[in-house]
Amino acid sequence: MLTRSEEDHLKAVHALLQDGASAFTKDIAERLGTKASSVTVMLKKLTDKGLLKHEPYYGVKLTGKGQTAALRLVRKHRLWETFLVERLGFGWDEVHEVAEQLEHVSSDKLTDSLDEYLGHPRFDPHGDPIPDRNGKVQSRNIKPLAGCLVGERVRIAAVKDPSDPLLQLLDEKGIGIGMVFEVHARQAFDGSLELRRKQGPPSTLSALVAAQLLVEPARP
Amino acid sequence: MLTRSEEDHLKAVHALLQDGASAFTKDIAERLGTKASSVTVMLKKLTDKGLLKHEPYYGVKLTGKGQTAALRLVRKHRLWETFLVERLGFGWDEVHEVAEQLEHVSSDKLTDSLDEYLGHPRFDPHGDPIPDRNGKVQSRNIKPLAGCLVGERVRIAAVKDPSDPLLQLLDEKGIGIGMVFEVHARQAFDGSLELRRKQGPPSTLSALVAAQLLVEPARP
DNA sequence: AACATAAATTAGCCTTGTCTAAAATATATA
DNA sequence: TATATATTTTAGACAAGGCTAATTTATGTT
Ligand SMILES: [Mn+2]
Ligand SMILES: [Mn+2]
Ligand SMILES: [Mn+2]
Ligand SMILES: [Mn+2]
């Protein structure tokens, strides 16, 4: 049985290790809003529990057991976010904080019932994949919108680092997961993009926003 | 902001104070599975926070503020139990433990959205009233089945102290909230009751079970 | 009135998870 | 190569919330 703090540390490590990156003490502390010294203690504890492998001064890796536990947490977090948006009418910018609490409720039956109740969703409101009960996630061919060529047709697949202000900006511009756009122009000066939809007005996105949007190819 | 432990103590006090009873240290400890000495410390803390009035050696009362906070917790607990049974298909004997965790998730928006999603239910799966967002509960005219006279027609309104084994026993006998029975006979020897329904087989209940079932009058 | 008993409180200890400050280490730079 | 800097770890403190053991209090019984 893991404590809430242990779970949050595990999840932070897992998040930092995405796409081959490393997980360092300082970054974990920053994510959790604590100090590096506190993290060091917890890394040792989770290593003793067999969930992490901590090489002092060289960062931390997940063991198989740790990977499994982290994926279960991610699954719970994203299922709850989906529930809040799809069933309770929350905005996608209002769910993270609450899911951060709900993910720690421990009941396998609850998790699996919720999953079934929601129809086994494969992506959460931010486009992030939801691991199934075996930890398997749907793989996709996604890349940052910022790197797309003018003329490409793409579908918005996910928001990379979904902060509330970013999500609110996207709401205001009417941009959401699943929408299909054509990259119509890129400004050389600031890298901003102009997007066009089949119908509806065009949208202009700064390079900063475009870097946060992950897209997949869309056939015309 | 209350900690989980503070919330559980507050809820225990509230539960013990039902129908004019007193709340003593020992009973609180028993409910929470802790020791009286631990409870004393927490009572002092909650008194300092203005939620309880603790008269050492003479038990504890809720302040207005404490009453409000306790009712909010009861509301959350019972709404979650209702969600688990009505939406996720849990049995009424499987929800308490999970609701005991879920009730501590702090988000007013979550509570009120859930309430609305469930259609503002007034009673939980065990027949206990769910306070509305102002703390108001629906009043009913209920009494223990054990005290009913032979010949009375009654509707099962609630299970007084819903332990899992009791709920499972009721499941096996096919007895649930809302069902209407006639008290057909009482054995003088052990106080056991025979109940009859409009249709379906009769049920025999021990005096112990009958004492745990709360009923309201039903017109024939 | 004195005493026995149950309940409650107090005192002191422990674990968990955080912090600050000091020391150690790795790495970039002169 | 020597040193400066950023990062990490270690050491020591503290608050929260639990425990056991000792003490105090209320109350029922002789
Ligand atoms: Mn969390
Ligand atoms: Mn998400
Ligand atoms: Mn609880
Ligand atoms: Mn209930």
Side-chain angles (χ1 to χ4, degrees):
Chain A
M1 185 50 49
L2 298 181
T3 66
R4 172 166 181 172
S5 179
E6 288 170 339
E7 289 187 337
D8 280 334
H9 279 79
L10 199 61
K11 204 156 61 86
V13 170
H14 178 265
L16 288 166
L17 289 176
Q18 288 306 88
D19 27 81
S22 304
F24 292 109
T25 306
K26 171 181 67 93
D27 305 301
I28 300 167
E30 192 176 350
R31 265 187 174 258
L32 299 178
T34 60
K35 301 296 180 178
S37 55
S38 308
V39 171
T40 300
V41 177
M42 197 60 81
L43 294 183
K44 174 157 177 19
K45 196 201 235 192
L46 289 171
T47 296
D48 290 348
K49 288 199 177 188
L51 296 160
L52 300 179
K53 211 163 63 178
H54 183 209
E55 300 270 11
Y57 296 102
Y58 291 97
V60 65
K61 298 290 175 212
L62 287 165
T63 64
K65 200 173 148 193
Q67 173 81 4
T68 300
L71 281 172
R72 273 213 311 273
L73 284 164
V74 168
R75 168 170 161 81
K76 289 199 278 181
H77 184 100
R78 293 179 182 168
L79 283 173
W80 280 117
E81 284 190 345
T82 304
F83 170 73
L84 294 172
V85 169
E86 304 258 306
R87 302 301 168 115
L88 297 194
F90 277 58
W92 66 346
D93 57 328
E94 301 176 308
V95 297
H96 183 80
E97 172 78 11
V98 181
E100 202 57 50
Q101 300 180 59
L102 285 163
E103 70 191 357
H104 302 291
V105 174
S106 102
S107 162
D108 286 347
K109 180 175 169 93
L110 174 59
T111 307
D112 291 336
S113 302
L114 187 63
D115 187 28
E116 187 177 347
Y117 184 60
L118 297 172
H120 304 290
R122 287 197 292 266
F123 300 98
D124 83 357
H126 311 108
D128 290 313
I130 301 176
D132 70 16
R133 53 175 300 160
N134 303 311
K136 200 137 187 94
V137 303
Q138 178 134 336
S139 72
R140 286 180 300 175
N141 177 24
I142 58 175
K143 58 178 178 182
L145 173 60
C148 292
L149 303 174
V150 171
E152 277 192 76
R153 282 186 73 75
V154 295
R155 174 177 292 106
I156 308 292
V159 182
K160 199 176 182 187
D161 189 10
S163 68
D164 292 353
L166 171 59
L167 297 176
Q168 285 152 20
L169 178 157
L170 293 172
D171 272 349
E172 276 174 32
K173 294 197 185 270
I175 292 177
I177 304 294
M179 290 179 180
V180 175
F181 291 92
E182 182 187 336
V183 180
H184 189 258
R186 169 183 281 111
Q187 291 293 340
F189 177 65
D190 63 357
S192 64
L193 293 180
E194 188 183 328
L195 305 182
R196 297 247 164 129
R197 307 193 63 180
K198 270 268 169 47
Q199 62 249 36
S203 303
T204 302
L205 297 183
S206 70
L208 229 54
V209 171
Q212 288 295 324
L213 287 179
L214 302 177
V215 299
E216 56 190 353
R219 281 297 98 234
Chain B
M1 186 49 48
L2 298 181
T3 66
R4 173 167 180 172
S5 178
E6 289 170 339
E7 289 187 338
D8 280 333
H9 280 78
L10 199 61
K11 204 155 60 85
V13 170
H14 178 264
L16 287 166
L17 289 176
Q18 288 307 90
D19 27 80
S22 304
F24 293 109
T25 307
K26 172 182 67 92
D27 305 303
I28 300 168
E30 192 175 349
R31 267 189 172 257
L32 299 177
T34 61
K35 301 295 178 177
S37 56
S38 307
V39 171
T40 299
V41 176
M42 197 60 82
L43 294 183
K44 174 156 177 20
K45 196 201 233 189
L46 289 171
T47 296
D48 290 348
K49 288 200 177 189
L51 297 160
L52 300 180
K53 210 162 65 180
H54 182 208
E55 299 270 12
Y57 297 101
Y58 291 96
V60 66
K61 298 290 175 212
L62 288 165
T63 64
K65 200 173 146 194
Q67 173 81 4
T68 301
L71 281 171
R72 274 214 311 273
L73 284 165
V74 168
R75 169 170 160 80
K76 288 198 279 180
H77 184 100
R78 293 178 182 169
L79 283 173
W80 279 117
E81 284 190 346
T82 303
F83 170 73
L84 294 172
V85 168
E86 304 258 306
R87 302 301 169 115
L88 297 194
F90 277 58
W92 66 347
D93 58 327
E94 301 175 310
V95 297
H96 184 78
E97 172 79 12
V98 181
E100 202 56 51
Q101 299 180 60
L102 285 164
E103 70 190 356
H104 302 291
V105 174
S106 103
S107 162
D108 286 348
K109 180 175 169 96
L110 174 59
T111 306
D112 291 337
S113 302
L114 187 63
D115 186 29
E116 187 178 347
Y117 184 60
L118 297 172
H120 304 290
R122 288 197 292 266
F123 301 99
D124 84 355
H126 311 108
D128 290 312
I130 301 176
D132 71 15
R133 52 176 301 161
N134 303 312
K136 201 139 187 91
V137 303
Q138 178 134 336
S139 72
R140 285 181 301 175
N141 176 23
I142 59 176
K143 60 179 177 182
L145 173 59
C148 291
L149 303 174
V150 170
E152 277 193 76
R153 283 186 72 76
V154 296
R155 174 177 292 105
I156 308 292
V159 182
K160 199 175 181 188
D161 189 10
S163 68
D164 293 354
L166 171 59
L167 297 176
Q168 285 152 20
L169 178 157
L170 293 171
D171 272 349
E172 276 175 30
K173 294 197 185 272
I175 293 177
I177 304 294
M179 290 180 180
V180 174
F181 291 92
E182 182 187 337
V183 180
H184 189 258
R186 169 183 281 113
Q187 290 294 340
F189 177 66
D190 63 357
S192 63
L193 294 181
E194 188 183 329
L195 305 182
R196 297 247 165 130
R197 307 193 63 180
K198 270 267 170 48
Q199 61 249 37
S203 301
T204 302
L205 298 184
S206 70
L208 230 54
V209 170
Q212 288 296 324
L213 287 179
L214 302 177
V215 300
E216 55 190 354
R219 282 297 99 234

